Amino acid sequence: MKLGILISGRGSNMLAIAEAIENGTIPNAEIAVVISDKPSAQGLIKAQEKGLETLAIPRNGRTREEHDAEIVSELKKRGVELVCLAGYMRLLSKDFIRGFPNKIINIHPSLLPSFKGLDAQKQAFEYGVYFTGCTVHFVDEELDHGAIIAQKVVEVKDEDTAETLSHRILEQEHQLYIEAIAKIVKGNYEFIGRKVRF
Ligand code: GAR
């Protein structure tokens, strides 16, 4: 299965996916392209070092729809079948989502539906929860809302800061995203309402 990965920054989840494909943890998959809306994203350099094709497609004052249309066209040109958002910090337009029905997935650094949106780790830390974590989910037309594929719990420790907590969540994200992608690529799942049954 051909994957397209969308990033905006550091790209550690993208790198974890690339390495999992290399070492066979995600079988039958290849990364067709890594696209960033931010030309300066560190993740683009990391992807190039892995020998992956990269594209920077900044929005450049266009509408969301125009920007997304260019991204969709580049993904389709390469035969991408599964779009993985990995720290991609933009909402997708309806046309983008409809162009890849149930074929766009995202990783979010909280136990959804808690702490949607930006800085989810900091939101959880400041709220004072004892447990938070990360979620891989299908992307639908609402923010951080689509059917949940997998979740992992991370305990908040007394000595944590928002930064140490984010770091431990990120370690779990890498594991969780790899496991989830391997299952989606395998394809043995069905939707029962909002639930994904593997
Ligand atoms: C990750 O923590 C990811 O869960 C988060 O951005 C970070 C990207 O890190 N995504 C979101 O908050 C999306 N709402 P990375 O670039 O090193 O993978």
Side-chain angles (χ1 to χ4, degrees):
M1 183 180 278
K2 289 191 175 187
L3 313 187
I5 304 186
L6 268 56
I7 63 169
S8 295
R10 181 177 51 191
S12 72
N13 277 288
M14 176 278 304
L15 202 59
I17 298 165
E19 285 170 357
I21 290 174
E22 266 176 16
N23 69 26
T25 312
I26 304 177
N28 304 316
E30 64 176 288
I31 297 173
V33 65
V34 175
I35 298 177
S36 173
D37 62 316
K38 297 266 183 293
S40 61
Q42 278 300 309
L44 285 176
I45 297 165
K46 293 178 187 163
Q48 285 156 9
E49 285 168 359
K50 280 271 166 215
L52 299 171
E53 190 192 357
T54 60
L55 288 175
I57 308 183
R59 181 157 166 187
N60 280 348
R62 293 175 290 179
T63 64
R64 184 188 308 285
E65 286 70 25
E66 289 164 346
H67 181 218
D68 280 2
E70 184 181 351
I71 296 173
V72 168
S73 149
E74 295 297 343
L75 294 168
K76 296 275 184 197
K77 238 188 249 175
R78 291 166 180 77
V80 166
E81 299 161 277
L82 180 68
V83 180
C84 304
L85 308 184
Y88 186 68
M89 295 308 200
R90 278 186 191 282
L91 290 176
L92 304 189
S93 60
K94 288 183 172 33
D95 284 349
F96 192 146
I97 293 164
R98 289 172 191 169
F100 290 93
N102 289 330
K103 295 292 177 197
I104 309 175
I105 61 176
N106 180 44
I107 179 121
H108 184 77
S110 74
L111 294 174
L112 289 173
S114 291
F115 310 118
K116 295 179 178 183
L118 291 178
D119 290 326
Q121 308 94 322
K122 191 160 167 259
Q123 289 184 52
F125 181 75
E126 288 178 354
Y127 195 92
V129 295
Y130 292 95
F131 296 95
T132 181
C134 46
T135 303
V136 178
H137 64 95
F138 285 101
V139 172
D140 69 8
E141 292 177 15
E142 274 180 59
L143 176 70
D144 297 329
H145 172 268
I148 290 174
I149 299 165
Q151 293 187 301
K152 254 187 189 177
V153 174
V154 174
E155 187 171 4
V156 183
K157 298 183 177 166
D158 288 345
E159 63 274 21
D160 262 330
T161 62
E163 288 69 34
T164 58
L165 178 61
S166 299
H167 179 78
R168 287 209 317 290
I169 294 172
L170 189 66
E171 287 174 349
Q172 296 306 314
E173 287 184 42
H174 297 163
Q175 278 304 313
L176 188 72
Y177 214 1
I178 290 165
E179 289 166 19
I181 292 172
K183 286 202 227 171
I184 298 293
V185 168
K186 203 169 170 202
N188 287 339
Y189 61 92
E190 58 174 341
F191 287 93
I192 301 170
R194 270 190 59 84
K195 295 204 172 128
V196 187
R197 281 280 170 265
F198 289 93

